[in-house]
Amino acid sequence: GEPCFVPRVPNSTREEDEDDGWLIVQVYLYTKDRCEFVILDARTLACLAHLRLPFHLPYAFHGSFSDQLVSSGVSLSKM
């Protein structure tokens, strides 16, 4: 799947923050017919975590990061 960038500091305008965050990538493991999400450090591309799912997600699945909860409009940074 397409990588999704999640900034460490949302809405930062500092140039040095451009790649300060995480990349979340959906990976399909066809030999196991399941997916996992891989979380990478955006600056170094070091693998920070694997979230293994016991199933696969549809190919059309993709997402984007928002610091707002869709249902309530509450900022996640205020939680």
Side-chain angles (χ1 to χ4, degrees), residues 9 13 17 23-24 31 43 53-54 56 61 63-64 70 73 76:
V9 180
T13 58
D17 289 343
L23 290 173
I24 302 175
T31 59
R43 285 194 173 146
L53 303 177
H56 78 280
F61 173 83
S64 58
V70 175
L76 295 177

Side-chain angles (χ1 to χ4, degrees), residues 5-38:
F5 176 73
V6 179
R8 186 180 312 267
V9 180
N11 304 316
S12 175
T13 58
R14 297 177 350 147
E15 187 175 317
E16 58 270 17
D17 289 343
E18 180 180 27
D19 59 357
D20 187 18
W22 305 273
L23 290 173
I24 302 175
V25 184
Q26 175 192 338
V27 178
Y28 175 61
L29 305 168
Y30 79 94
T31 59
K32 298 180 179 182
D33 194 31
R34 64 179 179 86
C35 286
E36 64 184 27
F37 286 95
V38 178

Side-chain angles (χ1 to χ4, degrees), residues 67-76:
D67 67 350
Q68 301 290 315
L69 292 174
V70 175
S71 61
S72 68
V74 173
S75 174
L76 295 177

